[in-house]
Amino acid sequence: MTTKEENELLTRVEGDAPMGQMLRQLYWIPAVLSSRLEAGGAPVRVKLFGNRYVAYRTHDGRVGFLNEACPHRGVSLALARNEDNALRCIFHGWKICVSGEVLEVPNEAANPECFRKTVNVKHYPAVEGAGLVWVWLGQGEAPAAPNFEWMNLGPEQAYACGLELDSNWLQGVEATIDSSHIALLHQSHLAHSKMDMAAARVNNAVRYKFDDTPYGYRAAALREAPDGQCVARVTEFVMPYYGLIPPINTGDDQDRTVIIAVPVDDTHLIQWYIFYNTKRATDSMKRAQRANTWPMAGGICQDPDRAWGQNRRLMANGNHTGFTEIVVEDFVTQVSMGPIVDRSDEYLCSADQAIIRLRRHLLKAVRQFMVNELPPSATPEARDYSGITATGGRLKSIDDDWRHLPR
Ligand code: FES
Ligand SMILES: [Fe+2]
């Protein structure tokens, strides 16, 4: 059982909260869509861990990531002019470049050359991959940027989108790795899909098997199909917030999905989705275009007074949940738990083993971090993500070794 104290440790990410400190210090964070940063265009405000930042793109295409407040007297740099590959604050004209150097302090008459060098600008390393800008918010030397298989794919092979939700980040991670809801919550969608899961949807009782890895764990959700075979879905959990979801249909040229639950503050997260295909152009454009309607769903699906947008007429006509989108079903269930669910007041069952394991991994890591130990998932070996792919397929029987499924 998770205690109230553990729940606080797991969920709080603002200020000095150890979990937030650990996530910022040890892991890279997807922060904003690359496409929102236009070369020489307006800076974009980003909120992470309760702190405000701006991201911008220079005329020559580089990305800068800074604290939002101007180091002079705190005016928002979202208002700044994007000039000659640097931001110029509109208040007194201080000019700051991507590397955090203050280039000009026009209102300092005494000795501007010396003075400008004394100003410490809070800026952060940024890289781009899979249509997202990734930042590192720690102190000291940044670890290597993540080398997941989707990071270097072009826009035709990787598509990212995201939505801010009114829930704590951990609810997002837990939703992602909870395979046991799929055949129940999403049944109306599976019924019409060619998904092999549909064959197994008569069987909601998932048997889990796990493999702990340096980066997190692999969770095989095993379901007996009506023909006696076994449908296996192997989800990868990569510390601290990645869920890699196996393709809907088996085959190594299928689109894959990654979900990343990034803390905005204690009670909000951005749920990032990356749809990608390493073999060919992704099929997910249709899904991605539909994703453009998520933000519209966002307002309604987070309003309890409007039943989170649930449509009872749809339900009367056979739809299980009253929601037309799979992702909205996920969003609504997660948000309806409240901003920070009380994990000391749950009845976990055997289908919740992936959730229990997730909490155990996170608690162990944050407790190690608190006594200045490096958690295993932050070692250089564990940071090699290049071979990690979620997989799925059929086994002859539920007792066959799922680890032999090709990745
Ligand atoms: S507040 Fe930005 S230059 Fe003065
Ligand atoms: Fe789901």
Side-chain angles (χ1 to χ4, degrees), residues 26-57:
L26 299 184
Y27 306 99
W28 283 75
I29 302 154
V32 61
L33 286 175
S34 284
S35 58
R36 289 191 62 200
L37 307 184
E38 192 190 322
V44 173
R45 298 174 79 219
V46 177
K47 189 176 178 191
L48 293 166
F49 301 92
N51 298 320
R52 297 262 177 210
Y53 305 93
V54 289
Y56 76 104
R57 192 181 298 283

Side-chain angles (χ1 to χ4, degrees), residues 58 88 93 97 117 124 172 189 193 227 246 274 277 331 377 403:
T58 58
R88 188 187 290 281
C97 71
K117 293 188 181 131
Y124 307 89
H189 306 278
S193 80
D227 60 9
I274 300 173
N277 195 317
F331 296 156
S377 64
R403 287 169 300 189

Side-chain angles (χ1 to χ4, degrees), residues 301-324:
C301 86
Q302 302 194 72
D303 184 353
D305 292 333
R306 288 190 281 176
W308 295 276
Q310 190 178 42
N311 184 334
R312 291 271 163 186
R313 213 159 13 99
L314 272 182
M315 292 168 85
N317 289 329
N319 180 294
H320 173 65
T321 60
F323 297 99
T324 52

